[in-house]
Amino acid sequence: MSPSKAETRRPARLVDRIVHTLGPWGMFLKGFVKHPVMVGSIIPSSDTLINHMLSKVDWDKVDLFVEYGPGVGTFCRPVLERLRGDAALIAIDTNPDFIDYLKRDIADSRFHPVLGSAADVEAIIRAHGFDHADQILSGLPFSTLPPGVGPAIAAATHRALRPGGTFLVYQFRKRARDFLEPHFGQIDDGFEWWNAPPCYLFWATRTGSDSEDQA
Ligand SMILES: C[S@@+](CC[C@H](N)C(=O)[O-])C[C@H]1O[C@@H](n2cnc3c(N)ncnc32)[C@H](O)[C@@H]1O
């Protein structure tokens, strides 16, 4: 006997109720359950990690800040708090549920959530009227992305940044550095214990004399 409509709908409603009760955490968990490889983590970033990662940014010099993989906006809000009134934040995510959630949840004229891939960052920033980004932040799970995607994103990011601009990366594995080294002339690193799980931080700067800038 096939289940009635009410019976088939019950599990979805239960999931929706749990997601609603947990707020952004529930939304993030739902994203992880649907796309574990793309989301790569079960818990959003901690405040300590956010403050550590953003500590080196000179906000007076930021016209355009780009974020890859914003999820439920854990970094978007702290970035908007620090961003100048006439600057912009473009947040790019491949997950339509996260982008819909961000559009509903953050009302700020400086904020532009975009459904797309970080690999297309150059076209996305051009479509918003910018030539280059000043800072690009990534919460992407580089080491679990499909083959070729991580290197393509690192190369596109180098081209999308202005000389002197920085790629800010937080990752659970040190291997993220392997994606940065072919492109960026200067890479500073750090580590943050106060996050679940603890993670590596990288600040990779387009120096203007990197090998690709000389070609
Ligand atoms: C670990 S979560 C980051 C969560 C969030 N930034 C935080 O700090 O809690 C990784 C995010 O990257 C997104 N993602 C995966 N591949 C992507 C790609 N190629 N371009 C843009 N976003 C991507 C996933 O949908 C997910 O939202």
Side-chain angles (χ1 to χ4, degrees), residues 28 31 35 37-46 49-50 67-76 91-96 98 114 116-120 137-141 145-146 149 153 170-172 195:
F28 195 77
H35 306 284
V37 171
M38 299 298 265
V39 175
S41 166
I42 201 159
I43 300 175
S45 301
S46 72
L49 168 63
I50 294 168
E67 181 181 1
Y68 300 157
V72 293
T74 321
F75 266 91
C76 298
I92 306 169
D93 206 297
T94 46
N95 186 327
F98 288 153
V114 174
S117 171
D120 299 322
L137 166 71
S138 169
L140 302 180
L145 291 176
V149 174
I153 290 174
Y170 55 98
Q171 279 284 285
F172 308 133
N195 192 65

Side-chain angles (χ1 to χ4, degrees), residues 77-114:
R77 293 172 189 84
V79 167
L80 288 165
E81 278 164 21
R82 292 161 169 82
L83 205 60
R84 282 195 335 255
D86 60 344
L89 165 61
I90 296 176
I92 306 169
D93 206 297
T94 46
N95 186 327
D97 294 340
F98 288 153
I99 293 299
D100 286 348
Y101 177 84
L102 292 174
K103 283 181 178 166
R104 281 197 310 271
D105 202 58
I106 302 182
D108 187 315
S109 57
R110 300 168 300 164
F111 182 53
H112 308 279
V114 174

